[in-house]
Amino acid sequence: MLALKNNDMRKIPGYDPEPVEKLKKLQRSLVRFMLETMLALKNNDMRKIPGYDPEPVEKLKKLQRSLIQRNAAGSDVKLRVSLDNLLSANQVGRWWIVGSSWSGAPMISEQEHKSVGEGQFTAKVLELARKQRMNTEVRRNIFCVLMTSEDYLDAFDKLLRMGLKDKQEREIVHVLMDCCLQEKSFNGFYAVLGEKFCAHNRRFQITFQFSLWDKFRELSNLPARTFNNLIQLVTLFLQKKCFSLSLLKVIEFGELDKAKVRFLRQVLTRLLTDTEPEDVIGIFSRISGIPQLRMLREGLKLFISHFLLKSAAPQDASLTERARIATQAMEAKEAKVKL
């Protein structure tokens, strides 16, 4: 009793302290394990978790990257099977199944196999295609579809049903850009159709991006009509959020010539004046907090303060306020990181 009262277990006859010490060591090791695991999770450092095996996670990451790269490269694994093919499978066979055979009528009729051809268009449209230098069959057919469609949805559907692949499919973007930039005055039909293709698949968005970058590099050589149409096309693409302002990252703000200054001034002025304040925040905040776009943000802020606000009329308070909103939107996420 005296030993228990004094909490001195060693004086109890026959008492063995070894199991108790083992239990205490086990408790301490468990507590240490939990603390190390929680600290590793807090710091997002999974390697410090005892017994953690990163191999399965790395395999999943590699698989994810390969799928993203394959999608970005424009590979399309979807079968282009029309509803007519499915409904008439008993007559024409199931050609989309590997190893299937058909001994009856041809699997695809001549009319169905035939792509959009010249025989479907008038001589006037074909002559217009020749004048616009649509010198390949694919480009000529795409041009004729654009010129004869009822609206952008009709054009979108017809162009997809042409069944073009890879390089031929990219010609849709190139022809659409050529038609848009060569119009006497800007035609919003091409911008809406381009927005539809960008929303349909990212490969069209990538092709548009590279086409626009090519135009940015030759701004000083563009005719006035092409220059003005390009300004409106880029502005609409940014307003509709087909692209973020990272589209302008190929422009070197430290080496601006007159053409680039005029192009940026008109695009940014249209964005700030023809867009609602909440949409301005959405457009400019898309490039906020991204380390790779820091030079672009600094270039845009300097351009807005030097080329837009200094040349703006004193009574144009709306532009000044929109410019302030845009600058704050670009700095929003950076301020949160500093806090």
Side-chain angles (χ1 to χ4, degrees), residues 81-142:
V81 183
S82 66
L83 179 60
D84 292 336
N85 293 146
L86 296 174
L87 295 177
S88 59
N90 294 331
Q91 287 77 34
V92 300
R94 296 173 174 82
W95 58 267
W96 57 90
I97 300 177
V98 178
S100 64
S101 61
W102 181 250
S103 60
M107 291 167 55
I108 302 177
S109 64
E110 183 180 354
Q111 181 66 25
E112 194 173 9
H113 179 74
K114 184 179 180 181
S115 61
V116 180
E118 296 184 3
Q120 298 176 258
F121 304 112
T122 64
K124 183 178 180 181
V125 176
L126 293 174
E127 178 62 19
L128 184 59
R130 188 189 64 80
K131 289 182 179 180
Q132 296 297 323
R133 298 178 182 177
M134 301 298 162
N135 48 13
T136 66
E137 183 180 357
V138 173
R139 290 176 66 89
R140 187 160 51 246
N141 290 338
I142 294 171

Side-chain angles (χ1 to χ4, degrees), residues 112-250:
E112 194 173 9
H113 179 74
K114 184 179 180 181
S115 61
V116 180
E118 296 184 3
Q120 298 176 258
F121 304 112
T122 64
K124 183 178 180 181
V125 176
L126 293 174
E127 178 62 19
L128 184 59
R130 188 189 64 80
K131 289 182 179 180
Q132 296 297 323
R133 298 178 182 177
M134 301 298 162
N135 48 13
T136 66
E137 183 180 357
V138 173
R139 290 176 66 89
R140 187 160 51 246
N141 290 338
I142 294 171
F143 176 85
C144 292
V145 168
L146 289 175
M147 295 298 107
T148 57
S149 297
E150 296 178 2
D151 54 21
Y152 80 97
L153 291 175
D154 183 41
F156 176 76
D157 183 60
K158 288 180 178 178
L159 290 172
L160 285 186
R161 283 194 285 110
M162 289 177 67
L164 303 177
K165 291 285 189 177
D166 299 331
K167 291 183 179 179
Q168 289 184 336
E169 190 179 60
R170 290 196 285 270
E171 291 290 353
I172 294 175
V173 174
H174 297 150
V175 173
L176 193 151
M177 285 274 296
D178 288 343
C179 294
C180 177
L181 299 182
Q182 292 181 32
E183 289 280 349
K184 292 182 179 180
S185 59
F186 182 72
N187 189 341
F189 164 80
Y190 301 105
V192 176
L193 182 58
E195 179 190 357
K196 183 72 174 175
F197 274 107
C198 289
H200 174 68
N201 197 297
R202 189 169 180 269
R203 62 178 181 268
F204 292 106
Q205 187 180 29
I206 293 173
T207 307
F208 266 114
Q209 176 178 282
F210 283 108
S211 297
L212 289 170
W213 284 353
D214 290 339
K215 298 299 179 184
F216 292 168
R217 294 185 181 97
E218 54 185 30
L219 283 173
S220 57
N221 299 323
L222 295 179
R225 180 174 61 187
T226 302
F227 191 91
N228 293 331
N229 287 339
L230 180 63
I231 289 172
Q232 297 191 60
L233 180 65
V234 171
T235 303
L236 280 175
F237 275 161
L238 293 174
Q239 288 175 331
K240 298 297 183 180
K241 298 185 179 179
C242 299
F243 299 94
S244 71
L245 282 168
S246 61
L247 183 69
L248 305 176
K249 66 183 179 181
V250 296

Side-chain angles (χ1 to χ4, degrees), residues 61-73 75:
K61 287 182 178 180
K62 288 181 180 178
L63 177 61
Q64 183 185 31
R65 284 195 294 268
S66 66
L67 291 174
I68 293 174
Q69 290 172 357
R70 189 184 308 164
N71 186 37
S75 61

Side-chain angles (χ1 to χ4, degrees), residues 17-53:
E18 185 175 354
V20 178
E21 293 298 327
K22 287 183 178 179
L23 182 61
K24 289 182 178 179
K25 288 181 180 179
L26 178 62
Q27 289 177 338
R28 286 195 293 269
S29 63
L30 287 174
V31 171
R32 187 183 304 111
F33 172 79
M34 292 181 65
L35 289 175
E36 290 177 355
T37 302
M38 292 173 64
L39 187 61
L41 290 173
K42 179 183 178 183
N43 296 330
N44 198 21
D45 189 357
M46 310 300 289
R47 296 169 298 177
K48 292 185 179 180
I49 297 178
Y52 172 71
D53 183 12

